[in-house]
Amino acid sequence: MSTVPLIAPKHGLFLGGEWVETDQYDEVKLPYDGTVAGLVARASAAHVHRAIEAAQQGARAMAALANHQRADLLLRLADLVRNDEHELAQLICSETGKPIKEARLEANRSVHTLIAAAHAARDLHGEVVPMDFAAGAERRMAMTVREPLGVIGAITPFNFPLNLTLHKLAPALAAGNSVVHKPAERTPLSALRLAHLVAEAGVPRGAYNIITGDGPALAAILLQHPAIAMITFTGSMKVGDRKSTRLNSSH
């Protein structure tokens, strides 16, 4: 009796709302037994620059939205993630080797991360500050407003690949920014699935971009690129210290 071999799904880069193929692909394997769970595109430096250019356009689109519009986007995405929890949990299992119970908890928690960010988007506001702490400024008030930073570089670890992605993406979108995301090389599959949901939710093109491949090389470009307004990184102290040193030395 013959069997038909399973073909691992192939994933491109998500740049400017489009799926982009590359010349090289890396295998993502189930840690438990080495089964190939997916093939993921290997980004080049040119792809990273393309992602950042797309994110600059995405940042302008997000900044133009009112707070309630950003909140509604995040709530639509939360509904899509909730409806897709089963598949997302399966992907988390496939890339991390987590028990399905823990993967389901992570997928469910991701919904609440999005809802919390949506509430935060509605509550974003500046301040009105009395200026009479100084002589000559009696009966004067200063008004502050919050402005988006622009393009955020996000680097996430392997252990909570979906929820930690949303810990970075959801607040960034809530505040009117865009994101270039480099997921961990071992666990990019749930983030790539999330990109489909982001597009379905109607998030502006370029607001979320994913580059996969050689982690240190891709991160180095993000750290040094002048268009990246902020880096948000979750990982070990050792790697974080290296990234901080590289960032400080580039300015």
Side-chain angles (χ1 to χ4, degrees), residues 147-161:
E147 296 287 346
L149 286 174
V151 181
I152 309 300
I155 301 172
T156 53
F158 70 93
N159 50 345
F160 289 92

Side-chain angles (χ1 to χ4, degrees), residues 173-194:
L173 297 182
N177 303 290
S178 64
V179 172
V180 177
H181 177 208
K182 191 212 76 65
E185 294 166 74
R186 290 159 52 184
T187 56
L189 300 180
S190 52
L192 290 164
R193 175 60 190 166
L194 176 65

Side-chain angles (χ1 to χ4, degrees), residues 15-37:
L15 309 178
E18 298 179 351
W19 292 98
V20 177
E21 301 292 326
T22 65
D23 295 332
Q24 292 181 291
Y25 282 77
D26 297 315
E27 294 180 342
V28 176
K29 296 181 179 181
L30 174 66
Y32 179 71
D33 62 3
T35 302
V36 177

Side-chain angles (χ1 to χ4, degrees), residues 182-246:
K182 191 212 76 65
E185 294 166 74
R186 290 159 52 184
T187 56
L189 300 180
S190 52
L192 290 164
R193 175 60 190 166
L194 176 65
H196 287 280
L197 303 181
V198 165
E200 188 177 346
V203 174
R205 294 163 68 92
Y208 183 40
N209 307 272
I210 304 179
I211 50 172
T212 51
D214 184 341
L218 300 180
I221 299 172
L222 291 179
L223 288 166
Q224 295 174 351
H225 200 287
I228 299 293
M230 187 182 84
I231 293 287
T232 171
F233 164 75
T234 302
S236 69
M237 288 288 291
K238 180 179 179 181
V239 175
D241 185 60
R242 288 207 306 269
K243 294 184 189 300
S244 176
T245 301
R246 184 187 295 271

